[in-house]
Amino acid sequence: MGRPSKLSDAQWDALKQRLIAGEKAADLAREYRVSKSAISGRVSKRAETVRSVANQIVAADQALKDLPLPEQAMTLSLVDELKSISTHMAGAGKFSAASAHRLAGIAHDLVQLIDDAQPEKSMAAIQRFSAMTKLSNEASHIPLNLLAANKDAVKLIQKDAPVLPVKVVVQVEDASQPEAQ
């Protein structure tokens, strides 16, 4: 693990905003008393990404304005439709993941009915287990594909997810006293 930063997260955010606004990394490095390479490693790439996306939005906005009004309306309608499709696919992924989870639970319950000593006597249970496992695996295709397509975003979400507090209860007993019978 690396050395802790001299700057707080809020200071890094302020520095990034100023870098995005056009201030020079060298000037910010002097002001914040950090190296230019620290700025480069921590925020320059993100700042460049933000600038790039902003430029793309400006270019798309200009391209939209250059279209005749009827085509602007068609374009905005298509944008709304594409966003809707994306939202529905995310919902489908969520519901498919829940279905896969439930079907895997049912399969787990069914596997308990299989006689390990004589599995041939449990063919009906094996077939039901096999069918539930297959359905569970098929239901997992959409969410797995969405995760694979968005693995960088998923990593970022997991990294930034808050760590929930855990309550730990420790019970201490005096071992020098004999147990009551």
Side-chain angles (χ1 to χ4, degrees):
M1 201 148 106
R3 189 168 49 113
S5 174
K6 293 181 191 177
L7 304 180
S8 68
D9 288 343
Q11 288 173 311
W12 279 112
D13 287 343
L15 189 148
K16 181 172 29 174
Q17 287 177 342
R18 291 175 62 186
L19 193 64
I20 290 168
E23 293 188 48
K24 293 187 178 359
D27 295 339
L28 293 169
R30 277 191 295 281
E31 180 181 336
Y32 283 92
R33 290 182 166 75
V34 294
S35 69
K36 191 176 168 190
S37 64
I39 291 174
S40 177
R42 178 115 179 205
V43 298
S44 289
K45 196 168 274 199
R46 296 302 313 149
E48 187 55 42
T49 300
V50 169
R51 272 194 222 104
S52 173
V53 170
N55 287 330
Q56 291 172 33
I57 291 170
V58 168
D61 189 46
Q62 186 59 50
L64 180 65
K65 288 177 182 174
D66 290 345
L67 291 174
L69 283 177
E71 290 179 5
Q72 286 182 24
M74 284 188 276
T75 301
L76 292 173
S77 178
L78 179 59
V79 166
D80 288 342
E81 191 65 30
L82 292 173
K83 286 180 181 179
S84 177
I85 290 169
S86 179
T87 300
H88 289 302
M89 285 306 297
K94 183 177 179 180
F95 290 132
S96 292
S99 297
H101 181 259
R102 184 162 184 221
L103 290 166
I106 293 169
H108 174 73
D109 289 343
L110 290 172
V111 80
Q112 307 302 318
L113 303 175
I114 298 172
D115 182 352
D116 291 346
Q118 296 178 317
E120 64 279 355
K121 290 186 176 181
S122 306
M123 285 311 292
I126 291 171
Q127 289 171 340
R128 288 193 305 273
F129 166 76
S130 176
M132 284 299 132
T133 302
K134 183 178 179 186
L135 288 172
S136 174
N137 290 341
E138 288 173 0
S140 69
H141 287 305
I142 292 173
L144 287 174
N145 289 337
L146 286 171
L147 287 174
N150 295 289
K151 66 181 178 183
D152 293 335
V154 170
K155 285 180 186 176
L156 187 63
I157 290 168
Q158 289 173 339
K159 185 186 123 210
D160 293 339
V163 177
L164 299 176
V166 176
K167 181 178 180 179
V168 177
V169 178
V170 178
Q171 183 177 350
V172 179
E173 294 183 18
D174 186 355
S176 66
Q177 303 294 324
E179 290 185 31
Q181 300 282 342

